[in-house]
Amino acid sequence: MNRDVDDGWTDPEGADLLSETMAAMYQGVPADSPTGPAAVVGVMQRRARRRRTAKRTALGAGSLTVAGALAFGAGSLLGWPTADPPPPPGQSSSASPSVSASPEPTSALELIQDGFRPRSWGVGDITCGMPAAELASTDEGFRFEVAGEVTDDGDEMSVPFRLTPTSGDPSTEWYGSTLVWIHDGTVVDVPRDFREGVAEPSVRSNGGPVEFPVTVFASNSMCAPEPVPDDFAFTGDVPFWDEDIFPHRLPPGDYDVVVLIQEYNAGENDPYVLSDPVPVTITEDQQVVRRSAG
Amino acid sequence: MSWSDDLERLATERGTALVGYAYVLCGDVRQAEDLVQDALVKVYSRLRPPGKPVEGARPASGMRTILLDGRGATHTEAYVRRTVLNLYLDGWRRQRKWAQIEPVVATSDWVRSPESGITARADVVHALTRLTPRQRSCVVLRYFEDMTIPQVAETIGVAPGTVKRYLSDALHAMRDVLQPDGAPGTAIDSGRGTR
């Protein structure tokens, strides 16, 4: 048995009970579930077939399909968090005729759907269109602030942050760092997942302040949903989470970006901390650059 | 056999076992079913069958499987299991929404076994819910899949020391149900001492 191997770890008493319990759990799942894999084979076959077709199309059509994927904002469609980079800045989403034939709005406020909340986003009470003044950390035991010079390389920005426990548990582990975009005092984009903008998958302060960089880049707004067209060919993972697609970039303009990190727990409604707002500008070619506050 | 037939075979013959594995990981049957469905779709969306690795390529690490029900598992099934683990670790925050919709928690019937106390196992099932996904994954890989510390570390892509920390924290969190009566502090602390 592998657990007898001397690998620098001594299994405690009670490990057998743990093993037995998990074995019983494994064997105790009902075999006749109406929503189990056997009952939804057809659904899975259709989903897999659609993906395979899209992949073959991608292999055959090359750059045409890649361009289509970018036009549809594939980076924002992913159902699961992904380490894939976002679509490169400068790739316009305007070549998306089957999604929306109307011209792109010039203001984020015209773009977004007030009160919308993406299905894949379930943190706190943050919704599209809410006043930025109502954004508040749900864990007040930490100070989360910009800790140094913001750098940008023309495509994206890197912002050094410092998380300092004040009255909070210093051993708290934090997961992800996600971006909330604000325009004219209104939330115009919420994160698509918990890896958006993340530099490290998790952060633990270990008793003192911890510093880490957060990458800020322009992406499609999750506050501007569109229905999935019938003939839509997914080139990435099927967006099984969201019932919409999000093909619209935030328009060029001035924004404030707030970074959100959430406690790494398994419970519901884990507390989160919001950073100071970082003033940025999205340029005409979708680059994110620093902007002086004021 | 086409990929479609193979998917159907795996779903019908091994679907329950796969959901069982996912259930051990996430502790929610509905969530487990969705995890398995998404893992199967992901695996069978590959144009290269998972059972046919690239020639000359090193086998993927951690591609092991468990045979608790005494039936053989294919390489594809092992691949699906690993995909389930990755999806669980990567997407756990979104998965919580499933549980919000319709929580299906363990009952004593599901952990019933004639040779062990029902209550003790139900307590362990409940105690597992206290763990973070990473802690729980380490516990599952160590005490369910019977992996060594280095194997666990390689499978989830962290250092062995990190695995020990997760295990230590997990077992500490579960100490009230794992420690035998009358032996306070001895069992779990022995694990913590090996860090």
Side-chain angles (χ1 to χ4, degrees):
Chain A
M1 190 164 72
N2 269 326
R3 279 192 279 137
D4 293 333
V5 175
D6 181 9
D7 54 11
W9 172 261
T10 303
D11 289 304
E13 292 178 47
D16 288 344
L17 174 61
L18 192 53
S19 298
E20 290 166 5
T21 301
M22 289 190 287
M25 291 174 70
Y26 171 79
Q27 294 172 310
V29 169
D32 56 351
S33 169
T35 50
V40 296
V41 166
V43 173
M44 290 190 291
Q45 287 170 326
R46 284 193 293 276
R47 288 179 59 190
R49 185 171 292 111
R50 186 166 58 175
R51 283 187 179 198
R52 295 169 68 93
T53 301
K55 286 180 178 178
R56 284 201 185 89
T57 304
L59 289 174
S63 58
L64 178 64
T65 305
V66 173
L70 292 170
F72 281 112
S76 290
L77 295 175
L78 301 181
W80 288 96
T82 173
D84 293 343
Q91 298 289 342
S92 170
S93 63
S94 58
S96 175
S98 65
V99 172
S100 173
S102 58
E104 291 285 319
T106 56
S107 167
L109 299 181
E110 300 170 15
L111 181 72
I112 67 165
Q113 183 176 316
D114 190 14
F116 180 75
R117 188 181 169 93
R119 190 171 175 227
S120 59
W121 175 241
V123 170
D125 297 323
I126 300 176
T127 58
C128 301
M130 71 180 288
E134 294 179 8
L135 289 172
S137 300
T138 58
D139 186 337
E140 297 178 348
F142 292 83
R143 190 168 64 247
F144 190 27
E145 57 198 343
V146 176
E149 186 175 354
V150 177
T151 59
D152 64 69
D153 62 4
D155 285 342
E156 60 186 25
M157 289 173 43
S158 179
V159 184
F161 278 94
R162 180 188 298 117
L163 180 70
T164 307
T166 51
S167 59
D169 178 2
S171 65
T172 301
E173 187 170 4
W174 302 86
Y175 186 82
S177 59
T178 56
L179 309 179
V180 178
W181 289 74
I182 298 161
H183 180 67
D184 279 352
T186 301
V187 172
V188 294
D189 187 17
V190 296
R192 74 166 191 264
D193 62 51
F194 276 86
R195 283 186 180 173
E196 187 179 74
V198 73
E200 295 292 335
S202 66
V203 173
R204 186 189 286 257
S205 61
N206 285 326
V210 60
E211 296 187 5
F212 55 95
V214 173
T215 301
V216 177
F217 53 85
S219 62
N220 296 25
S221 173
M222 294 291 283
C223 289
E226 296 279 359
V228 180
D230 291 339
D231 60 347
F232 186 76
F234 296 104
T235 54
D237 288 354
V238 173
F240 59 92
W241 266 110
D242 287 297
E243 296 162 339
D244 307 285
I245 59 173
F246 302 91
H248 301 290
R249 292 283 190 152
L250 287 172
D254 291 343
Y255 294 87
D256 288 305
V257 175
V258 171
V259 177
L260 180 153
I261 58 173
Q262 194 170 27
E263 287 187 14
Y264 191 103
N265 292 316
E268 307 288 343
N269 301 315
D270 294 336
Y272 58 82
V273 173
L274 297 169
S275 76
D276 298 334
V278 179
V280 304
T281 296
I282 296 180
T283 64
E284 291 290 339
D285 55 359
Q286 288 289 309
Q287 294 176 346
V288 178
V289 296
R290 289 173 289 177
R291 175 171 60 86
S292 297
Chain B
M1 181 180 286
S2 70
W3 69 264
S4 182
D5 294 336
D6 198 38
L7 167 59
E8 182 171 356
R9 182 200 58 75
L10 191 57
T12 53
E13 294 181 6
R14 303 292 300 162
T16 302
L18 287 168
V19 172
Y21 178 72
Y23 173 57
V24 173
L25 275 172
C26 70
D28 181 281
V29 174
R30 291 283 179 272
Q31 186 174 339
E33 289 175 344
D34 283 342
L35 273 173
V36 170
Q37 182 182 148
D38 289 317
L40 284 168
V41 169
K42 197 175 185 74
V43 168
Y44 281 96
S45 296
R46 291 164 53 103
L47 298 180
R48 183 191 306 279
K52 297 178 181 176
V54 177
E55 190 172 344
R58 183 171 165 267
S61 62
M63 289 298 176
R64 304 164 63 253
T65 192
I66 45 179
L67 303 171
L68 289 179
D69 52 3
R71 303 177 67 176
T74 63
H75 178 86
T76 303
E77 181 178 346
Y79 198 92
V80 171
R81 287 180 188 230
R82 195 58 61 233
T83 304
V84 165
L85 173 66
N86 291 339
L87 290 177
Y88 168 67
L89 281 171
D90 285 352
W92 67 278
R93 288 207 173 256
R94 295 175 183 220
Q95 293 164 27
R96 290 184 311 170
K97 291 183 69 69
W98 283 317
Q100 289 169 4
I101 294 169
E102 188 176 359
V104 181
V105 299
T107 67
S108 57
D109 286 346
W110 294 2
V111 291
R112 183 189 298 272
S113 177
E115 69 273 12
S116 182
I118 294 172
T119 302
R121 288 187 175 175
D123 288 345
V124 172
V125 170
H126 185 262
L128 284 168
T129 65
R130 301 176 197 159
L131 308 183
T132 68
R134 290 184 190 184
Q135 290 172 347
R136 185 159 176 153
S137 295
C138 288
V139 166
V140 170
L141 294 175
R142 174 69 174 178
Y143 298 109
F144 181 60
E145 294 212 50
D146 196 30
M147 288 187 182
T148 63
I149 297 296
Q151 287 171 335
V152 175
E154 190 175 359
T155 299
I156 65 173
V158 299
T162 305
V163 172
K164 292 178 188 176
R165 176 168 64 85
Y166 282 131
L167 283 175
S168 177
D169 291 347
L171 296 169
H172 192 71
M174 301 176 71
R175 63 191 181 282
D176 57 330
V177 296
L178 294 180
Q179 282 181 342
D181 292 340
T186 57
I188 307 305
D189 286 350
S190 67
R192 293 179 70 83
T194 63
R195 277 201 235 181

